[in-house]
Short mmCIF file of all heavy atoms in Angstrom, two decimals:
data_model
loop_
_atom_site.label_atom_id
_atom_site.label_comp_id
_atom_site.label_asym_id
_atom_site.label_seq_id
_atom_site.Cartn_x
_atom_site.Cartn_y
_atom_site.Cartn_z
N THR E 103 10.57 1.75 1.59
CA THR E 103 11.26 1.94 0.32
C THR E 103 11.50 0.60 -0.36
O THR E 103 11.46 0.50 -1.59
CB THR E 103 12.61 2.66 0.55
OG1 THR E 103 12.36 3.89 1.22
CG2 THR E 103 13.30 2.95 -0.77
N GLY E 104 11.71 -0.43 0.44
CA GLY E 104 11.93 -1.77 -0.09
C GLY E 104 10.65 -2.56 -0.30
O GLY E 104 10.69 -3.77 -0.50
N SER E 105 9.52 -1.87 -0.25
CA SER E 105 8.19 -2.47 -0.51
C SER E 105 7.74 -3.47 0.55
O SER E 105 6.93 -4.35 0.26
CB SER E 105 8.14 -3.12 -1.90
OG SER E 105 8.31 -2.14 -2.91
N VAL E 106 8.24 -3.33 1.75
CA VAL E 106 7.70 -4.12 2.86
C VAL E 106 6.43 -3.42 3.33
O VAL E 106 6.43 -2.23 3.61
CB VAL E 106 8.72 -4.24 4.00
CG1 VAL E 106 8.10 -4.95 5.19
CG2 VAL E 106 9.97 -4.95 3.53
N THR E 107 5.36 -4.18 3.43
CA THR E 107 4.06 -3.58 3.74
C THR E 107 3.56 -4.00 5.12
O THR E 107 3.88 -5.08 5.63
CB THR E 107 3.02 -3.99 2.70
OG1 THR E 107 2.93 -5.42 2.65
CG2 THR E 107 3.39 -3.47 1.32
N THR E 108 2.75 -3.11 5.69
CA THR E 108 2.06 -3.38 6.95
C THR E 108 0.61 -2.97 6.76
O THR E 108 0.34 -1.90 6.19
CB THR E 108 2.68 -2.56 8.10
OG1 THR E 108 4.06 -2.91 8.25
CG2 THR E 108 1.95 -2.85 9.41
N TYR E 109 -0.30 -3.80 7.25
CA TYR E 109 -1.72 -3.51 7.12
C TYR E 109 -2.40 -3.62 8.49
O TYR E 109 -2.05 -4.48 9.30
CB TYR E 109 -2.40 -4.49 6.17
CG TYR E 109 -1.99 -4.37 4.73
CD1 TYR E 109 -0.98 -5.17 4.20
CD2 TYR E 109 -2.60 -3.45 3.88
CE1 TYR E 109 -0.59 -5.06 2.88
CE2 TYR E 109 -2.23 -3.33 2.56
CZ TYR E 109 -1.22 -4.14 2.06
OH TYR E 109 -0.84 -4.02 0.74
N ALA E 110 -3.40 -2.79 8.69
CA ALA E 110 -4.27 -2.99 9.84
C ALA E 110 -5.02 -4.30 9.65
O ALA E 110 -5.37 -4.66 8.52
CB ALA E 110 -5.25 -1.83 9.94
N ASP E 111 -5.25 -4.99 10.73
CA ASP E 111 -5.95 -6.28 10.64
C ASP E 111 -7.30 -6.14 9.93
O ASP E 111 -7.72 -7.03 9.20
CB ASP E 111 -6.16 -6.87 12.04
CG ASP E 111 -4.87 -7.39 12.65
OD1 ASP E 111 -3.90 -7.59 11.89
OD2 ASP E 111 -4.84 -7.57 13.88
N SER E 112 -7.96 -5.02 10.15
CA SER E 112 -9.31 -4.83 9.62
C SER E 112 -9.34 -4.71 8.09
O SER E 112 -10.41 -4.83 7.49
CB SER E 112 -9.95 -3.59 10.24
OG SER E 112 -9.18 -2.44 9.96
N VAL E 113 -8.19 -4.45 7.47
CA VAL E 113 -8.19 -4.26 6.01
C VAL E 113 -7.40 -5.34 5.28
O VAL E 113 -7.38 -5.35 4.04
CB VAL E 113 -7.65 -2.87 5.62
CG1 VAL E 113 -8.40 -1.77 6.37
CG2 VAL E 113 -6.16 -2.76 5.86
N LYS E 114 -6.77 -6.23 5.99
CA LYS E 114 -5.97 -7.28 5.35
C LYS E 114 -6.84 -8.11 4.41
O LYS E 114 -7.95 -8.50 4.75
CB LYS E 114 -5.34 -8.19 6.41
CG LYS E 114 -4.17 -7.56 7.14
CD LYS E 114 -3.59 -8.52 8.18
CE LYS E 114 -2.41 -7.87 8.90
NZ LYS E 114 -1.87 -8.75 9.97
N GLY E 115 -6.31 -8.34 3.23
CA GLY E 115 -7.03 -9.11 2.22
C GLY E 115 -7.98 -8.29 1.39
O GLY E 115 -8.50 -8.78 0.38
N ARG E 116 -8.21 -7.03 1.77
CA ARG E 116 -9.13 -6.18 1.02
C ARG E 116 -8.42 -4.97 0.40
O ARG E 116 -8.79 -4.51 -0.68
CB ARG E 116 -10.27 -5.69 1.93
CG ARG E 116 -11.09 -6.79 2.52
CD ARG E 116 -12.32 -6.24 3.26
NE ARG E 116 -11.95 -5.41 4.40
CZ ARG E 116 -12.31 -4.12 4.55
NH1 ARG E 116 -13.03 -3.54 3.61
NH2 ARG E 116 -11.95 -3.45 5.63
N PHE E 117 -7.43 -4.44 1.13
CA PHE E 117 -6.71 -3.25 0.67
C PHE E 117 -5.30 -3.65 0.22
O PHE E 117 -4.70 -4.57 0.79
CB PHE E 117 -6.59 -2.24 1.79
CG PHE E 117 -7.88 -1.58 2.20
CD1 PHE E 117 -9.11 -2.01 1.76
CD2 PHE E 117 -7.84 -0.49 3.07
CE1 PHE E 117 -10.29 -1.40 2.14
CE2 PHE E 117 -9.01 0.15 3.46
CZ PHE E 117 -10.23 -0.32 3.02
N THR E 118 -4.80 -2.92 -0.77
CA THR E 118 -3.43 -3.14 -1.24
C THR E 118 -2.74 -1.79 -1.40
O THR E 118 -3.25 -0.91 -2.09
CB THR E 118 -3.41 -3.88 -2.58
OG1 THR E 118 -4.09 -5.12 -2.46
CG2 THR E 118 -1.98 -4.14 -3.02
N ILE E 119 -1.59 -1.65 -0.75
CA ILE E 119 -0.81 -0.43 -0.86
C ILE E 119 0.34 -0.67 -1.83
O ILE E 119 0.92 -1.76 -1.88
CB ILE E 119 -0.29 0.03 0.52
CG1 ILE E 119 0.29 1.45 0.44
CG2 ILE E 119 0.71 -0.96 1.11
CD1 ILE E 119 0.58 2.06 1.80
N SER E 120 0.66 0.36 -2.60
CA SER E 120 1.78 0.27 -3.54
C SER E 120 2.43 1.64 -3.67
O SER E 120 1.81 2.65 -3.32
CB SER E 120 1.30 -0.23 -4.91
OG SER E 120 0.35 0.66 -5.46
N ARG E 121 3.64 1.68 -4.16
CA ARG E 121 4.33 2.96 -4.33
C ARG E 121 5.21 2.92 -5.56
O ARG E 121 5.62 1.85 -6.02
CB ARG E 121 5.16 3.29 -3.08
CG ARG E 121 6.32 2.36 -2.83
CD ARG E 121 7.02 2.69 -1.51
NE ARG E 121 7.88 3.86 -1.59
CZ ARG E 121 8.51 4.41 -0.53
NH1 ARG E 121 8.34 3.89 0.67
NH2 ARG E 121 9.29 5.45 -0.69
N ASP E 122 5.46 4.10 -6.06
CA ASP E 122 6.39 4.27 -7.18
C ASP E 122 7.48 5.20 -6.69
O ASP E 122 7.26 6.41 -6.54
CB ASP E 122 5.63 4.86 -8.39
CG ASP E 122 6.52 4.96 -9.61
OD1 ASP E 122 7.75 5.17 -9.47
OD2 ASP E 122 5.99 4.86 -10.73
N ASN E 123 8.63 4.63 -6.40
CA ASN E 123 9.71 5.43 -5.82
C ASN E 123 10.22 6.51 -6.78
O ASN E 123 10.64 7.58 -6.36
CB ASN E 123 10.87 4.53 -5.41
CG ASN E 123 10.51 3.64 -4.23
OD1 ASN E 123 9.71 4.01 -3.38
ND2 ASN E 123 11.08 2.45 -4.18
N ALA E 124 10.17 6.23 -8.06
CA ALA E 124 10.65 7.21 -9.04
C ALA E 124 9.74 8.43 -9.11
O ALA E 124 10.20 9.55 -9.35
CB ALA E 124 10.75 6.56 -10.42
N LYS E 125 8.46 8.20 -8.89
CA LYS E 125 7.48 9.30 -8.98
C LYS E 125 7.07 9.84 -7.62
O LYS E 125 6.30 10.79 -7.54
CB LYS E 125 6.24 8.82 -9.74
CG LYS E 125 6.50 8.43 -11.18
CD LYS E 125 5.22 7.98 -11.87
CE LYS E 125 5.47 7.61 -13.32
NZ LYS E 125 4.21 7.16 -13.99
N ASN E 126 7.57 9.22 -6.54
CA ASN E 126 7.19 9.64 -5.18
C ASN E 126 5.68 9.59 -4.98
O ASN E 126 5.08 10.54 -4.46
CB ASN E 126 7.72 11.04 -4.87
CG ASN E 126 9.19 11.03 -4.52
OD1 ASN E 126 9.80 9.97 -4.39
ND2 ASN E 126 9.78 12.20 -4.38
N THR E 127 5.07 8.52 -5.41
CA THR E 127 3.64 8.35 -5.24
C THR E 127 3.34 7.08 -4.44
O THR E 127 4.11 6.11 -4.47
CB THR E 127 2.92 8.27 -6.58
OG1 THR E 127 3.46 7.17 -7.35
CG2 THR E 127 3.08 9.55 -7.39
N VAL E 128 2.22 7.12 -3.75
CA VAL E 128 1.74 5.95 -3.03
C VAL E 128 0.25 5.82 -3.30
O VAL E 128 -0.48 6.81 -3.33
CB VAL E 128 2.05 6.04 -1.52
CG1 VAL E 128 1.39 7.27 -0.89
CG2 VAL E 128 1.65 4.76 -0.80
N ASN E 129 -0.18 4.59 -3.51
CA ASN E 129 -1.58 4.33 -3.83
C ASN E 129 -2.16 3.33 -2.84
O ASN E 129 -1.44 2.51 -2.26
CB ASN E 129 -1.71 3.76 -5.25
CG ASN E 129 -1.15 4.69 -6.30
OD1 ASN E 129 -1.54 5.85 -6.40
ND2 ASN E 129 -0.20 4.20 -7.09
N LEU E 130 -3.46 3.41 -2.68
CA LEU E 130 -4.17 2.46 -1.83
C LEU E 130 -5.39 1.97 -2.60
O LEU E 130 -6.33 2.73 -2.83
CB LEU E 130 -4.60 3.11 -0.51
CG LEU E 130 -5.24 2.17 0.49
CD1 LEU E 130 -4.20 1.18 1.02
CD2 LEU E 130 -5.86 2.95 1.65
N GLN E 131 -5.35 0.72 -3.01
CA GLN E 131 -6.49 0.10 -3.68
C GLN E 131 -7.38 -0.52 -2.61
O GLN E 131 -6.91 -1.39 -1.85
CB GLN E 131 -6.02 -0.96 -4.67
CG GLN E 131 -7.15 -1.70 -5.37
CD GLN E 131 -7.96 -0.79 -6.28
OE1 GLN E 131 -7.41 0.05 -6.99
NE2 GLN E 131 -9.27 -0.94 -6.24
N MET E 132 -8.61 -0.08 -2.55
CA MET E 132 -9.53 -0.54 -1.52
C MET E 132 -10.67 -1.31 -2.17
O MET E 132 -11.45 -0.73 -2.94
CB MET E 132 -10.07 0.64 -0.72
CG MET E 132 -8.97 1.51 -0.12
SD MET E 132 -9.60 2.83 0.94
CE MET E 132 -10.47 3.84 -0.26
#
């Protein structure tokens, strides 16, 4: 909820996760 992120080592630097708490959505840019 506080936007602390965790990534698998295999995707670090390539994928970005984000969320919109107001809309209850989560996105993954790959």
